[in-house]
């Protein structure tokens, strides 16, 4: 008869035969105990004595530290004491590539181990509790959220928005941890659902923290890790800060801006500054010499007797590029729902402003418009001049943007908003007029790192009919569109 207890082992058989290991049913029961404990702790912070004791027996029996069951222990602290677990947490919920075991058999013992590790990460992240949050608790949660992102095959911070990296899409995530092919949901569908939820959890923790008191204490402020949720709160509260608190807030914003800029700069890479201008004769210097073309064009001068090629003309490569400057006008809705897009696009505009022959203008608006072009090279100063919140009236921003379109064929207008406007029809007519003038108009519903956003259906349908569908999703899409136009 199968032993259904979680900690005991079957009675050894007589003689010298080795005792058999736990059977499939025992492994399944152990995994279920761990998941039942996970669900119980997520919905009720009180301990269930039976589940706790059974889970402890499972964890100890499979050779894992009992600290995995301690809600106060962070994943970082466990990994510091048991460094060998770091590799197990990485990609924990991403199935291995390639075909499964022969005959479709499952490594049920490994599933139990994964269940214990996954339960620790999930419980630390999603059981965030209630009440006041300290800077240390926020830092610990951010660290644990980073381990969850690593378990999903992403880089820390990637799913919550902001810092991005490789692994945004990938293989599926298996509920059992083994990842049968064709049965696991794809990360491309899972990440957009998880990312915003992680961001919402982080935002809730930031709101529950006495931020002003934390910022006023340099030691506590040093424990904070900049994130999109924290930056949003700092930008909203910046006018109420002064002295040490304001200096610490600026330092956090600067750190976050620098981190995002580094990621976006690698995505922009070295954009070309214009097409080759073949009307300009190539400069006759050695570095421009086209060796292959020179040999090909002089093959008729080959002497078989002398085995020598006589060159009567040298050919050079064209290197001059068209110098017509491109104008990039970025208009950003700075209402509270667009903070992620505001931060990303402000930094992106500063990167494109650093490219040669690209003239960048930046306008932010809610019910009033603000021309931020003088500070476009410094996203930090730009963000400090924004005022998040309020309604949206795009017509005031359009009044600033239209006079900047001097040469429509060399101008691209990027409009980032959820398009829930007070004056819908007048604004759309102005946008359609820009499109008809020959300028490239790119309506953007969201430019976030998680790829989540909401767009007014009225505008979405009309942009589609106009032939300029709303670009919505990951910021890489906008980078690609802009590089294509500016090339």
């Amino acid at each position: 008869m199968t032993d259904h207890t979680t900690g005991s082992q079957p009675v050894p058989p007589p003689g010298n035969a080795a005792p058999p290991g736990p059977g499939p049913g025992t492994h399944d029961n152990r995994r279920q105990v761990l998941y039942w404990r996970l669900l119980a702790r997520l919905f009720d912070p009180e301990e269930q004595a039976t589940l706790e004791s059974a889970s402890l027996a499972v964890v100890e029996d499979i050779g894992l530290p009992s600290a995995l069951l301690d809600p106060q222990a962070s994943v970082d602290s466990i990994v510091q004491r048991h460094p060998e677990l770091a590799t197990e947490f990485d990609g924990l919920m991403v199935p291995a590539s390639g075909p499964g075991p022969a005959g479709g058999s499952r490594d049920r013992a490994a599933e139990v181990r994964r269940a214990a590790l996954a339960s620790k990460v999930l419980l630390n992240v999603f059981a965030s509790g209630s009440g006041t949050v300290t800077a240390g608790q926020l830092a610990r949660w951010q660290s644990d959220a980073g381990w969850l992102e690593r378990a999903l095959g992403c880089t820390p911070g990637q799913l919550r928005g902001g810092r991005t990296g490789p692994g945004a899409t990938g293989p599926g995530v298996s509920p059992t941890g083994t990842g049968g092919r064709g049965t696991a949901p794809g990360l491309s569908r899972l990440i957009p659902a998880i990312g915003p939820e992680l961001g919402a959890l982080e935002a809730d923790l930031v709101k529950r923290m006495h931020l002003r008191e934390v910022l006023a204490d340099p030691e506590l402020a040093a424990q904070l890790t900049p994130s999109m949720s924290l930056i949003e709160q700092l930008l909203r509260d910046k006018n109420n800060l002064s002295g040490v608190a304001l200096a610490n807030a600026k330092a956090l914003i600067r750190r976050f801006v620098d981190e995002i800029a580094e990621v976006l700069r690698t995505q922009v890479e070295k954009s070309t500054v214009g097409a080759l201008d073949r009307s300009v004769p190539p400069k006759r210097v050695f570095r421009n010499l086209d060796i292959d073309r020179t040999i090909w064009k002089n093959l008729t001068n080959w002497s078989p007797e002398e085995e020598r090629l006589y060159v009567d003309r040298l050919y050079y490569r064209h290197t001059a590029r068209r110098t017509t400057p491109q104008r990039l006008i970025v208009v950003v809705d700075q209402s509270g729902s667009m903070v992620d897009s505001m931060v990303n696009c402000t930094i992106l505009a500063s990167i494109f402003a650093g490219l040669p022959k690209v003239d960048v203008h930046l306008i932010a608006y809610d019910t009033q418009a603000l021309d931020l072009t003088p500070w476009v090279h410094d996203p930090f100063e730009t963000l400090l001049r924004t005022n998040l919140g309020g309604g949206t009236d795009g017509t005031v921003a359009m009044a600033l943007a239209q006079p900047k379109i001097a040469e429509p064929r060399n101008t691209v207008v990027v409009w980032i908003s959820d398009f829930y406007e007070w004056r819908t029809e007048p604004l759309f007519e102005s946008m359609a007029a820009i499109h008809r003038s020959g300028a490239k108009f790119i309506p953007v519903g969201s430019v976030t790192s998680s790829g989540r956003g909401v767009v007014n259906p009225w505008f979405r349908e009309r942009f589609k009919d106009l032939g300029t569908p709303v670009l919505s999703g990951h910021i890489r899409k906008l980078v690609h569109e802009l590089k294509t136009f500016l090339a």
Side-chain angles (χ1 to χ4, degrees):
M1 185 172 67
T2 304
D3 181 6
H4 290 283
T5 60
T6 57
S8 60
Q9 298 294 328
V11 178
N16 297 326
T26 302
H27 290 310
D28 289 345
N29 290 343
R30 290 177 171 182
R31 192 179 70 248
Q32 289 174 13
V33 165
L34 294 171
Y35 283 145
W36 276 116
R37 175 187 175 272
L38 169 64
L39 293 174
R41 294 301 298 264
L42 284 174
F43 293 102
D44 186 357
E46 294 296 327
E47 290 187 358
Q48 302 293 325
T50 303
L51 288 174
E52 291 297 326
S53 60
S55 299
L56 178 61
V58 171
V59 167
E60 290 180 343
D61 191 56
I62 61 179
L64 288 174
S66 59
L68 285 175
L69 303 181
D70 182 2
Q72 303 304 317
S74 67
V75 178
D76 262 346
S77 65
I78 294 175
V79 170
Q80 287 174 2
R81 298 172 190 169
H82 307 275
E84 69 279 2
L85 293 180
T87 56
E88 293 192 57
F89 279 112
D90 279 330
L92 175 66
M93 288 180 270
V94 177
S97 57
S105 61
R106 292 160 49 184
D107 188 349
R108 297 178 184 274
E111 289 180 11
V112 177
R113 191 174 182 89
R114 291 193 192 98
L117 297 174
S119 295
K120 176 59 180 175
V121 178
L122 293 172
L123 194 59
N124 276 25
V125 172
F126 290 102
S128 54
S130 59
T132 304
V133 175
T134 66
Q137 289 173 325
L138 176 62
R140 195 191 77 173
W141 185 93
Q142 291 172 327
S143 172
D144 289 332
W147 280 105
L148 174 60
E149 290 162 322
R150 290 174 63 170
L152 290 170
C154 303
T155 55
Q158 182 176 346
L159 303 188
R160 286 167 283 161
R163 295 166 291 273
T164 58
T169 58
V173 177
S174 169
T176 61
T178 57
R181 293 178 66 103
T183 60
L187 278 177
S188 59
R189 292 177 307 208
L190 184 66
I191 284 177
I194 289 182
E197 293 304 323
L198 290 177
L201 279 172
E202 187 173 27
D204 178 64
L205 291 171
V206 171
K207 290 178 182 177
R208 287 157 47 193
M209 182 174 61
H210 296 304
L211 189 57
R212 296 180 191 175
E213 289 80 356
V214 171
L215 291 173
D217 188 330
E219 291 186 4
L220 293 177
Q223 298 180 33
L224 295 175
T225 301
S227 64
M228 189 63 73
S229 300
L230 182 58
I231 297 308
E232 177 180 357
Q233 194 68 21
L234 292 175
L235 292 175
R236 290 182 184 278
D237 205 34
K238 64 180 184 296
N239 293 330
N240 298 318
L241 301 175
S242 61
V244 175
L246 181 59
N248 287 330
K250 288 183 176 181
L252 286 167
I253 296 174
R254 172 69 75 181
R255 278 176 57 194
F256 187 74
V257 166
D258 290 344
E259 290 175 4
I260 299 297
E262 182 179 356
V263 174
L264 291 181
R265 196 172 288 112
T266 61
Q267 294 182 13
V268 174
E269 297 177 343
K270 295 181 179 179
S271 296
T272 56
V273 294
L276 290 175
D277 190 351
R278 299 190 179 277
S279 65
V280 178
K283 193 172 183 180
R284 296 176 179 272
V285 294
F286 179 75
R287 68 173 179 271
N288 293 340
L289 181 62
D290 191 337
I291 299 293
D292 292 340
R293 191 175 178 218
T294 297
I295 294 175
W296 177 258
K297 290 291 187 179
N298 288 279
L299 283 178
T300 55
N301 299 329
W302 171 255
S303 173
E305 295 81 9
E306 301 179 51
E307 295 185 349
R308 180 175 297 180
L309 178 66
Y310 290 92
V311 177
D312 55 15
R313 182 179 176 183
L314 296 174
Y315 291 83
Y316 296 87
R317 298 185 185 91
H318 289 268
T319 56
R321 296 186 179 272
R322 294 172 186 168
T323 57
T324 304
Q326 309 283 1
R327 175 162 290 186
L328 170 61
I329 303 173
V330 181
V331 184
V332 187
D333 175 358
Q334 67 171 353
S335 62
S337 60
M338 300 296 292
V339 61
D340 200 340
S341 293
M342 182 72 203
V343 172
N344 278 288
C345 288
T346 298
I347 298 172
L348 189 62
S350 71
I351 294 173
F352 275 99
L355 298 178
K357 306 302 178 183
V358 180
D359 181 23
V360 179
H361 295 252
L362 179 62
I363 299 171
Y365 76 96
D366 42 32
T367 56
Q368 296 180 331
L370 179 63
D371 191 344
L372 298 170
T373 303
W375 302 279
V376 72
H377 288 84
D378 190 342
F380 172 72
E381 291 295 334
T382 300
L383 288 173
L384 290 182
R385 285 168 170 77
T386 59
N387 185 25
L388 300 180
T392 50
D393 184 3
T395 58
V396 296
M398 183 62 73
L400 286 180
Q402 282 180 322
K404 295 177 180 290
I405 307 175
E407 299 181 21
R409 295 292 176 185
N410 296 319
T411 303
V412 56
V413 179
V414 179
W415 198 290
I416 301 103
S417 174
D418 55 11
F419 297 99
Y420 282 93
E421 297 281 344
W422 287 359
R423 305 175 187 176
T424 54
E425 293 190 4
L427 179 60
F428 177 76
E429 287 302 319
S430 299
M431 292 174 173
I434 291 177
H435 175 69
R436 290 191 295 266
S437 72
K440 184 174 181 62
F441 184 80
I442 305 177
V444 183
S446 68
V447 181
T448 67
S449 300
S450 59
R452 184 187 190 185
V454 179
V455 177
N456 186 338
W458 189 91
F459 270 93
R460 185 185 291 277
E461 289 300 318
R462 279 155 182 78
F463 282 135
K464 185 177 179 181
D465 295 339
L466 187 64
T468 58
V470 174
L471 182 70
S472 190
H474 203 282
I475 194 169
R476 284 192 298 267
K477 295 181 180 179
L478 179 58
V479 171
H480 175 74
E481 288 288 327
L482 294 177
K483 287 177 64 178
T484 300
F485 179 82
L486 298 173

